[in-house]
């Protein structure tokens, strides 16, 4: 017995196509949506003892939702992952209810489990600078040392994701004062490029043995192909061991550091949201909690009555 009816499978594919085309969702997000909704439908098939078509899906009630969530928790799914799965199911149901004309309240009113939101783990300013300097010392080949330093400088100096930095092509060189970045979901943003970042990339390009081609990767691997993110992760792992930094000192931590240090210097939260390419301000607001935590730490350490 198939766990998903052809009608449900077709509806799901139609919704995913809509998410891809109209909402601009990234392929990784589309894959996660597909997995989560298929998992949900499969559970309902077993739960009701029959393959669920579109009509039975419309009759799912609160007890059924509770049963699904209880099974997910029993399977070892954590609160954060379950909240993500529920969000995917709700999004699909909102679309399906509008298309099929049924009331989705039972699904949409289901509360996500509470979980402790993980705060970003930025580096201190001196640690971020030390990381950039130490990364440069990890390779005996000057061009590779310059390359690694240039990438990490872009992560910290411009707040780029590692995937965004490595997706730059030769057409971006020499780096302009403002760089157009295509981020998650194909969303574009303008990012100022500070002089030290431009100088770092220029230094790398002068030493790089591979020709600068408009459609080729800006950052090359040792054999001339695209630079892999794992190479930057590995070189930062070596550097953080030398500096005595925690395992959280990763490429993404440099982006966190960029945002946190801007906020600490009085940067506007909306402006930081635009620079990071966050679709929602609530994502950026996590940095206010980091800043508050830092302020409380300073207070507790410094105030005579703390």
């Amino acid at each position: 017995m198939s766990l998903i009816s052809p009608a449900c499978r077709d509806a799901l594919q139609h919704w995913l196509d809509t998410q891809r085309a109209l909402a601009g969702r990234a392929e990784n997000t589309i894959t996660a949506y597909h997995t989560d909704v298929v998992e949900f439908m499969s559970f309902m098939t077993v739960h009701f003892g029959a393959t669920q078509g579109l009509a039975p899906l419309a009759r799912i009630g609160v007890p059924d939702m509770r049963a699904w969530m209880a099974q997910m928790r029993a399977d070892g799914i954590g609160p954060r992952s379950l909240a993500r799965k529920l969000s995917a199911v709700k999004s699909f149901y909102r679309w399906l209810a509008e298309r099929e004309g049924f009331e989705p309240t039972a699904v949409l009113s289901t509360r996500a489990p509470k979980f402790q939101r993980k705060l970003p783990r930025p580096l201190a300013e001196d640690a971020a600078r030390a990381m950039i300097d130490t990364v440069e010392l990890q390779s005996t080949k000057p061009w590779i040392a310059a390359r690694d330093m240039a990438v990490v400088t872009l992560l910290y100096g411009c707040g780029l994701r590692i995937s965004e930095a490595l997706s730059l092509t030769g057409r971006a060189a020499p780096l302009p004062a403002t760089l157009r970045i295509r981020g998650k979901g194909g969303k574009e943003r303008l990012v100022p490029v500070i002089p030290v970042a431009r100088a770092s990339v220029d230094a790398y390009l002068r030493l790089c043995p591979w020709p600068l081609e408009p459609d080729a990767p800006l950052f090359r691997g040792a054999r001339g192909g695209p630079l892999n993110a794992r190479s930057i992760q590995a070189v930062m792992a070596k550097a953080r061991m030398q500096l005595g930094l925690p395992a959280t000192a990763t490429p993404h931590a440099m982006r966190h550091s960029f945002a946190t240090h801007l906020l600490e210097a009085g940067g506007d939260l909306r402006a930081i949201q635009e620079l990071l390419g966050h679709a929602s301000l609530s994502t950026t607001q996590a940095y206010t909690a980091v800043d508050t935590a830092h302020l409380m730490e300073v207070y507790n350490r410094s105030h005579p009555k703390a």
Side-chain angles (χ1 to χ4, degrees):
M1 179 181 68
S2 174
L3 294 181
I4 303 176
S5 71
C8 285
R9 192 179 300 112
D10 290 346
L12 174 57
Q13 189 57 54
H14 188 181
W15 174 66
L16 292 174
D17 291 341
T18 301
Q19 291 294 302
R20 183 184 289 108
L22 300 183
R25 304 296 185 194
E27 281 304 316
N28 286 346
T29 302
I30 296 295
T31 300
Y33 280 170
H34 179 272
T35 300
D36 293 339
V37 177
V38 165
E39 192 176 59
F40 174 80
M41 290 180 177
S42 299
F43 168 83
M44 289 301 169
T45 294
V46 176
H47 179 63
F48 288 108
T51 302
Q52 299 300 290
L54 293 180
L57 281 180
R59 295 194 293 269
I60 287 175
V62 173
D64 307 317
M65 293 300 295
R66 288 174 178 165
W68 170 65
M69 294 183 74
Q71 184 61 56
M72 292 295 98
R73 296 306 302 272
D75 289 343
I77 303 299
R80 180 186 298 271
S81 296
L82 182 52
R84 189 207 71 217
K85 291 176 182 294
L86 178 60
S87 177
V89 170
K90 284 183 176 181
S91 182
F92 171 66
Y93 256 77
R94 195 174 291 111
W95 173 87
L96 186 66
E98 185 175 341
R99 194 184 82 154
E100 299 295 321
F102 65 86
E103 178 55 56
T105 301
V107 173
L108 299 186
S109 64
T110 303
R111 291 186 178 182
K114 293 183 178 180
F115 59 90
Q116 185 69 37
R117 188 177 295 275
K118 289 184 179 179
L119 295 179
R121 299 293 298 273
L123 281 68
E125 290 186 37
D126 57 347
R129 287 194 294 267
M131 173 60 78
I132 293 172
D133 293 339
T134 307
V135 158
E136 188 185 18
L137 304 176
Q138 302 309 306
S139 177
T140 56
K141 294 184 178 180
W143 81 270
I144 291 181
R147 178 201 68 189
D148 295 343
M149 183 181 182
V151 172
V152 178
T153 301
L154 279 177
L155 303 183
Y156 179 57
C158 303
L160 301 188
R161 299 177 178 93
I162 182 67
S163 59
E164 293 169 347
L166 299 188
S167 67
L168 293 174
T169 64
R171 190 169 278 106
L175 295 190
T178 304
L179 198 58
R180 187 177 297 275
I181 296 294
R182 184 180 293 275
K184 286 186 175 180
K187 182 181 179 183
E188 287 192 346
R189 69 185 191 276
L190 294 177
V191 177
V193 184
I194 58 177
V196 67
R198 296 204 300 273
S200 186
V201 172
D202 288 344
Y204 151 68
L205 291 175
R206 285 195 297 270
L207 295 171
C208 183
W210 309 101
L212 181 64
E213 301 171 351
D215 296 319
L218 179 66
F219 295 109
R220 302 294 193 100
R223 297 181 180 179
L227 177 60
N228 194 297
R230 288 191 295 271
S231 298
I232 300 301
Q233 292 165 353
V235 76
M236 284 191 65
K238 290 180 182 178
R240 71 172 177 250
M241 289 181 66
Q242 294 174 19
L243 293 169
L245 296 174
T248 52
T250 62
H252 207 62
M254 302 303 284
R255 173 173 156 89
H256 288 322
S257 303
F258 162 85
T260 304
H261 297 164
L262 280 182
L263 186 63
E264 289 175 349
D268 177 74
L269 197 61
R270 281 286 184 187
I272 295 173
Q273 177 192 358
E274 289 297 320
L275 291 173
L276 292 173
H278 285 161
S280 169
L281 184 61
S282 61
T283 306
T284 316
Q285 284 173 330
Y287 294 101
T288 64
V290 173
D291 196 35
T292 301
H294 172 71
L295 290 175
M296 291 306 298
E297 180 184 337
V298 171
Y299 173 84
N300 289 327
R301 187 174 64 244
S302 306
H303 197 282
K305 297 295 186 182

